[in-house]
């Protein structure tokens, strides 16, 4: 990202970092970014993260909790008054009381969780107050996909968008938009109604690509899908135009007052007023990062969606600033020292397939890690479920014992023609993931109506109670390992 920021941007980032570090001398803190593409489970992860720490959940692999060194964890006011608060209480109520999934992340939000603990080191106990504030920053992964736009001109953005729309995975959902775009005259006088028609058609194409049956991931600009308070603004009323590259009298140059000039001006405004502040004020200030990946939704949609997810993850991981800093450089320079890529919804599989899920996601990000500069940063891959919705069992069928998962599928989910009502608990054989991760890319291009791999979504679980009547915390799969990797060293 260094090539995509100016000296002025870097100076502002350094000043922000210095202010954060100065404050941390009095009150130690860590900024944890939580991202992932839509429906990867960001809201659920943060809610389970906080709930299990506040309520002393079952976290056997989280060393500070296991050893009894955490005295208490509690919520405090967040340091950034201009950022919306993550509505933890509302999300927890939806999960526990209503047993529905909370609303998805639509914009950036933040929450401060403070942990009081006793250090495992005598030396640290002498010089440390045993208190760490974790500032959890929740933001859509789709917004990260905008960061590469900082290095692209409008004509390059247009060219790339049309090339992407011609891929087999995008082609059919892009037909209507391409027809509208190709009917427009880039050199015609700027016209607001034409601009709105083009932007609306382009947005409809992006939304169609995000539908469950398509499950595409690489669909920038991200704010077109999640506009927040920018909806309807000129900065979001632009679209790619065809034929702006070679073949024009002045490639990349738009005639003043033309439709192309209007679109180019709004595209640059989008980068200046939306993308750059997002990077400087949020991404460049992170210390740790977790990227949540719903690989099973992509596998449901077929190999084209899997390949598109790999492309998106490569772009997402290339947006971070990984590495370590020393005491002096750390005063003005921030680097993400730990990145966890977590395959979510492991509870939708029997535990025998968890290693395969983890291997598949590692295969998806291996190229991304290889292409990005992760020098000095720790990167790990984990299969997990922040909230476990199923339990495991076995059933006997035709003298064969099959491992199954038992849960309550969401209303409307279907398998083999059976439609679930959202109330009935059901045993499901989820199928086996392939032993070789590469095989998810090698399936036939023509996906059958009933693919071999098919997963359904489940309702949140009813919380268990102890013999004494105490309600237990939200169940999970490997949330404790995620906590240990992300913050365990800061509680040592």
């Amino acid at each position: 990202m260094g090539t995509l920021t100016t000296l002025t941007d870097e100076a502002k980032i350094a000043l922000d970092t210095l202010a954060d570090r100065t404050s941390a001398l009095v009150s130690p803190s860590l900024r944890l970014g939580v991202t992932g593409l839509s429906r990867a489970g960001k809201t659920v992860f943060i809610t389970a993260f906080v709930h299990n720490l506040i309520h002393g959940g079952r976290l056997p692999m989280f060393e500070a909790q296991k050893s009894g060194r955490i005295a208490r964890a509690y919520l405090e006011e967040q340091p950034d008054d201009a950022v919306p608060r993550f509505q933890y209480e509302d999300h927890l109520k939806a999960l526990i009381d209503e047993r529905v999934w909370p609303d998805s992340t639509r914009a950036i939000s933040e929450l401060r969780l403070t942990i009081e603990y006793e250090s495992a080191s005598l030396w640290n106990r002498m010089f440390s107050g045993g208190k760490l504030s974790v500032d959890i920053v929740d933001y859509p992964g789709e917004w990260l996909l905008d960061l590469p736009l900082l290095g692209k001109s409008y004509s390059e953005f247009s060219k790339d968008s049309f090339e992407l729309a011609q891929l087999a995975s995008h082609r059919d959902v892009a037909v209507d938009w391409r027809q509208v775009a190709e009917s427009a005259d880039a050199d015609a006088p700027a016209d607001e109604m034409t601009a709105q028609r083009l932007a609306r058609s382009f947005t409809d194409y992006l939304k169609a690509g995000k539908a469950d049956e398509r499950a595409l991931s690489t669909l920038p600009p991200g704010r077109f899908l999640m506009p927040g308070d920018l909806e309807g603004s000129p900065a979001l009323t632009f679209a790619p135009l065809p034929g702006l590259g070679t073949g024009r009298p002045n490639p990349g140059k738009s005639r003043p007052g033309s439709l192309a000039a209007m679109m180019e001006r709004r595209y640059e405004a989008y980068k200046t007023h939306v993308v750059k502040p997002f990077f400087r004020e949020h991404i460049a200030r992170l210390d740790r990062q977790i990227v949540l990946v719903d690989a099973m939704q992509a596998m449901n949609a077929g190999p084209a969606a899997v390949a598109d997810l790999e492309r998106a993850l490569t772009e997402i991981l290339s947006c971070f600033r990984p590495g370590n800093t020393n005491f002096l450089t750390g005063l003005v320079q921030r680097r993400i020292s730990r990145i966890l890529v977590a395959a979510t919804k492991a509870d939708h599989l029997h535990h025998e397939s968890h290693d395969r899920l983890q291997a598949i996601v590692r295969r998806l990000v291996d190229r991304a890690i290889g292409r990005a500069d992760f020098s000095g940063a720790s990167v790990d891959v984990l299969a997990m479920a922040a909230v476990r919705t199923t339990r495991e069992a076995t059933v006997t069928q035709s003298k064969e014992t099959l491992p199954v998962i038992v849960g309550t599928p969401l209303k409307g989910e279907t398998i083999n023609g059976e439609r679930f009502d959202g109330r009935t608990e059901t045993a499901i054989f989820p199928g086996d993931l392939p032993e070789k991760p590469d095989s998810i890319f090698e399936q036939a291009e023509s996906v059958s109506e009933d693919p071999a791999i098919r997963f359904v979504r489940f309702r949140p679980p009813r919380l268990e109670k102890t013999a004494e009547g105490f309600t237990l915390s939200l169940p999970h799969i490997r949330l404790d390992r995620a906590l240990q990797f992300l913050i365990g060293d800061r509680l040592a």
Side-chain angles (χ1 to χ4, degrees), residues 51-60 65 472-474 476:
H51 178 74
N52 274 279
L53 284 174
I54 289 178
H55 295 277
R58 295 164 285 182
L59 304 168
Q65 178 87 329
L472 297 174
S473 56
L474 287 165
H476 63 85

Side-chain angles (χ1 to χ4, degrees), residues 18-29 127 129 327 331 490:
L18 182 60
D20 287 343
R21 298 305 192 203
T22 303
S23 174
L25 292 175
V26 179
S27 177
S29 64
F127 294 97
F327 176 76
L331 291 175
R490 293 293 301 269

Side-chain angles (χ1 to χ4, degrees), residues 227-459:
D229 57 0
L230 292 172
E231 188 166 7
S233 68
L236 262 64
T237 311
F238 68 89
L241 287 172
L244 298 184
T246 57
R248 290 171 60 87
N250 295 298
K253 299 290 184 180
S254 301
R255 183 177 63 80
S258 66
L259 177 64
M262 170 195 268
M263 294 295 190
E264 182 176 6
R265 185 181 68 253
R266 292 181 175 184
Y267 170 78
E268 293 297 332
Y270 181 79
K271 293 197 298 181
T272 300
H273 300 295
V274 178
V275 184
K276 276 192 176 183
F278 169 63
F279 176 72
R280 179 175 67 83
E281 297 169 10
H282 302 293
I283 304 304
R285 295 176 60 199
L286 296 175
D287 299 303
R288 306 284 167 90
Q289 177 70 54
I290 180 170
V291 180
L292 301 170
V293 181
D294 185 0
M296 289 189 286
Q297 183 186 21
M299 286 188 282
N300 265 357
V306 173
D308 198 63
L309 176 60
E310 181 189 31
R311 182 164 49 244
L313 289 173
T314 300
E315 293 195 11
I316 285 173
L317 291 173
S318 69
C319 293
F320 299 131
R321 291 186 161 187
N324 279 312
T325 58
N326 58 39
F327 176 76
L328 290 178
T329 60
L331 291 175
V332 293
Q333 189 181 75
R334 211 158 194 160
R335 290 290 182 265
I336 298 178
S337 58
R338 296 194 175 197
I339 300 175
L340 178 63
V341 181
T344 60
K345 305 177 184 176
D347 57 329
H348 290 40
L349 297 164
H350 195 272
H351 76 270
E352 294 176 353
S353 288
H354 289 179
D355 286 346
R356 294 184 181 183
L357 174 62
Q358 191 165 298
I360 287 170
V361 172
R362 183 173 291 279
R363 163 64 179 80
L364 288 172
V365 298
D366 267 348
R367 294 181 185 177
I369 293 172
R371 287 175 56 180
D373 178 18
F374 283 118
S375 176
S378 297
V379 185
D380 200 5
V381 178
L382 179 70
M384 63 170 287
V387 173
R388 182 172 189 161
T389 61
T390 64
R391 65 184 189 277
E392 295 185 351
T394 58
V395 297
T396 302
Q397 186 175 7
S398 301
K399 298 183 179 180
E400 182 181 7
T401 300
L402 297 176
V404 298
I405 54 175
V406 181
T408 305
L410 291 177
K411 183 177 181 180
E413 290 289 294
T414 59
I415 289 185
N416 296 328
E418 180 182 1
R419 189 177 185 87
F420 299 103
D421 60 13
R423 299 185 302 272
T424 306
E425 191 173 72
T426 308
I428 294 173
F429 175 63
D432 294 321
L433 292 179
E435 290 186 28
K436 297 181 179 180
D438 282 341
S439 64
I440 62 172
F441 296 92
E442 297 167 357
Q443 298 175 39
E445 284 296 326
S446 57
V447 181
S448 65
E449 293 183 3
D450 187 21
I453 302 173
R454 173 59 63 186
F455 307 98
V456 299
R457 293 169 293 176
F458 294 88
R459 290 186 65 186

